[in-house]
Amino acid sequence: MGIISSNKKINVDTMKCDGTARVSLAITAAPDILENPADIVLVLDRSGSMSGTPLASMKEGAKTFIDIIDEATDGNKDGQIGSGSRIGIVSFSDTATVNAPLITSVADLKSAVDSLVAGGSTNHADAFFQASQLFTIPSSSQKVIVMFTDGKTTSGSPPLPVAEAAKASGIVIYCIGLIGSDGIDVSVLNAWASDPDATHVAVTPDAADLEELFAELAANISKTGATNIRIDEVLNSDFSITDIGQPNKGTVSMSDPQTIIWTIPELGVSTTESALLDFGIRHITNTAGLKKVNQSITYTDNEGNVVIFPDPSVMVDCDIVIYPEECPEPVDLSVDNCRDASIVDLGETYMESLGRIVEVSATIKNICPGKRVAAAIILTETDEEGMEYQRGMKTFTIPSHDGPGCRDVQLKCIKFVLPEDLNPDEHPEGSICTKRNLKARVIANQLDTDYRCCESVVTL
């Protein structure tokens, strides 16, 4: 049984009530290293910024990686990389050095790692070049480069063309980044690594995490593929699904507005493969705060792989909403797959008044705590000669709120009933179908004066 790497992201950190966002899911699977051997080159940064704890942590992480591959290839930690797989070591600072070619001796590999000494600048281009050269002898094994670095390029040629050439030749590139004294540009690691970034790039600010990152990556590389995959994503009740993108693998369906079912027949059975899916969500309640996107997400496959997706959250900011008049209750309806028509009974509706109805909303800005506001909405209609006619005015007292500061308040679902056309004699038949030219004005004044408070501004 293997471990399949996974990721889940939301493209925003904050959103408004009724706001939208996009969620992405990614999983990567690879063949079992027992049946599909791999040649792996560990490319290790030994520049000056790695002195002390970072170098020591990197060495422990690299040796843990070697041990995991040792056990994965033959079921035992017997000191030999088995089943046709091999590991090589390349280190770099001002230039890159091959510390160990592609070999199977665990002792020799660990000795090469232990011999590394920090010093010098950072030449990523030469590191990628020297690692790629270890694959020049023809082999049917999967080719993998694991690049570890703690900083930006400070010497040598631009590394991106060398990394791109390596990927074009069939080499899979993973990147591990330590946010060291030189800083690190995650977008650069994403550009160097194979796609998707979510499963091929890992970054940490803490050298103590390096051993765990190397271990996770070794498990990812040595894992088995998966068949008959099913992922059930259930959103938190604060959100609903707005749309679903076409996944690059498998098929996806919705069982209700909160639930996605993604099925993939197989992934990573003969070569490393990644599956990607993105979908849109909308916030549908009036409650603010830090909200988890999903209520639950489960993964199953025929091989019994265990996959745990991240659990992202988003901060929802809701304006205060007041409904001066009662809004009609919405009725949920849906159209089944492959149906171009649907018949829905929306229930009983009682006649309220004659004429057409105009419904407006407005936002009153910067209402401070403890202050009531008097508001009025005036509706007028303009004829073809520019004359304005009164069509109605509605007034409201907006209650005070006890928020931590001045807040925006929304007035929603304010309805006006329009009489028939201004000159029905010109349109005796079907006057209700004529165009109407309307203007709406909003007036707002504080009822409780406090000169320490901010001034209210109205937007319509």
Side-chain angles (χ1 to χ4, degrees):
M1 183 176 68
I3 301 175
I4 296 181
S5 58
S6 64
N7 201 12
K8 178 177 181 180
K9 294 181 178 179
I10 182 169
N11 70 335
V12 295
D13 297 321
T14 61
M15 65 191 301
K16 289 284 189 181
C17 278
D18 199 40
T20 60
R22 296 207 71 79
V23 178
S24 61
L25 299 177
I27 58 172
T28 296
D32 190 335
I33 201 169
L34 283 168
E35 300 177 3
N36 298 270
D39 285 337
I40 306 166
V41 179
L42 291 178
V43 183
L44 306 176
D45 189 341
R46 53 174 169 80
S47 58
S49 59
M50 288 292 296
S51 298
T53 300
L55 183 65
S57 297
M58 181 197 71
K59 289 180 177 180
E60 290 306 310
K63 289 187 286 186
T64 297
F65 181 99
I66 294 166
D67 282 337
I68 291 174
I69 299 299
D70 172 16
E71 185 173 12
T73 54
D74 55 17
N76 296 293
K77 283 187 182 179
D78 56 5
Q80 289 291 321
I81 309 296
S83 303
S85 293
R86 298 176 295 177
I87 295 178
I89 306 294
V90 170
S91 65
F92 65 98
S93 56
D94 303 296
T95 58
T97 300
V98 177
N99 302 93
L102 290 167
I103 57 176
T104 60
S105 170
V106 170
D108 290 347
L109 290 167
K110 289 185 176 181
S111 177
V113 171
D114 284 330
S115 70
L116 302 183
V117 177
S121 57
T122 308
N123 187 338
H124 293 110
D126 196 33
F128 278 123
F129 176 77
Q130 294 296 338
S132 300
Q133 292 303 298
L134 293 183
F135 299 116
T136 54
I137 298 175
S139 170
S140 60
S141 297
Q142 182 179 196
K143 306 176 193 62
V144 177
I145 287 176
V146 177
M147 161 67 78
F148 165 80
T149 184
D150 81 327
K152 300 175 183 177
T153 300
T154 57
S155 64
S157 304
L160 181 58
V162 189
E164 294 287 3
K167 289 185 287 186
S169 70
I171 299 172
V172 177
I173 298 179
Y174 293 85
C175 290
I176 297 177
L178 171 65
I179 304 176
S181 60
D182 291 344
I184 200 163
D185 189 341
V186 178
S187 65
V188 170
L189 299 186
N190 291 340
W192 294 346
S194 299
D195 292 328
D197 302 334
T199 53
H200 288 77
V201 177
V203 178
T204 178
D206 190 348
D209 293 336
L210 290 181
E211 187 171 359
E212 181 179 352
L213 289 186
F214 274 100
E216 289 178 356
L217 188 53
N220 179 38
I221 292 172
S222 62
K223 68 183 178 298
T224 184
T227 59
N228 197 23
I229 296 170
R230 175 171 169 146
I231 299 169
D232 290 74
E233 161 84 12
V234 181
L235 294 187
N236 186 313
S237 59
D238 290 285
F239 302 95
S240 67
I241 300 161
T242 60
D243 66 279
I244 303 175
Q246 181 65 38
N248 69 326
K249 301 283 185 183
T251 58
V252 64
S253 62
M254 287 176 55
S255 60
D256 58 59
Q258 269 82 34
T259 304
I260 285 177
I261 301 171
W262 185 15
T263 57
I264 306 169
E266 62 179 39
L267 190 71
V269 173
S270 59
T271 186
T272 300
E273 290 183 303
S274 298
L276 306 171
L277 169 67
D278 78 284
F279 57 92
I281 61 171
R282 180 183 297 279
H283 184 262
I284 58 173
T285 64
N286 291 323
T287 57
L290 188 64
K291 305 285 186 179
K292 288 188 175 183
V293 174
N294 56 280
Q295 174 181 309
S296 64
I297 181 166
T298 57
Y299 173 99
T300 59
D301 65 26
N302 283 355
E303 288 66 39
N305 289 304
V306 176
V307 176
I308 299 175
F309 284 87
D311 190 13
S313 299
V314 61
M315 180 61 70
V316 177
D317 180 21
C318 295
D319 293 335
I320 298 170
V321 178
I322 294 175
Y323 294 88
E325 298 178 346
E326 183 179 353
C327 284
E329 285 295 323
V331 176
D332 294 330
L333 59 94
S334 62
V335 179
D336 293 336
N337 295 339
C338 301
R339 294 281 300 276
D340 58 4
S342 182
I343 298 174
V344 180
D345 183 356
L346 298 181
E348 297 179 341
T349 299
Y350 293 95
M351 186 72 75
E352 293 189 6
S353 56
L354 296 175
R356 278 185 270 181
I357 296 175
V358 174
E359 181 180 291
V360 299
S361 298
T363 299
I364 302 181
K365 308 286 286 185
N366 302 330
I367 296 181
C368 293
K371 306 300 176 185
R372 296 175 301 154
V373 171
I377 296 182
I378 303 168
L379 188 69
T380 62
E381 186 167 7
T382 306
D383 66 13
E384 296 175 354
E385 297 179 358
M387 294 292 293
E388 259 187 87
Y389 299 86
Q390 188 84 6
R391 286 291 172 257
M393 180 175 74
K394 294 197 173 182
T395 60
F396 315 97
T397 299
I398 300 173
S400 62
H401 70 86
D402 57 358
C406 298
R407 299 292 301 272
D408 298 346
V409 172
Q410 297 181 28
L411 299 177
K412 288 194 171 183
C413 299
I414 303 166
K415 296 185 287 292
F416 291 84
V417 178
L418 295 180
E420 285 305 314
D421 192 86
L422 281 169
N423 190 352
D425 294 335
E426 293 183 5
H427 307 280
E429 300 293 335
S431 62
I432 200 169
C433 295
T434 59
K435 181 179 178 181
R436 311 295 291 267
N437 299 310
L438 305 173
K439 291 183 180 180
R441 296 176 174 87
V442 183
I443 300 172
N445 292 285
Q446 278 189 168
L447 292 177
D448 306 289
T449 304
D450 185 341
Y451 293 107
R452 297 171 299 169
C453 188
C454 42
E455 180 182 357
S456 293
V457 178
V458 176
T459 62
L460 180 64

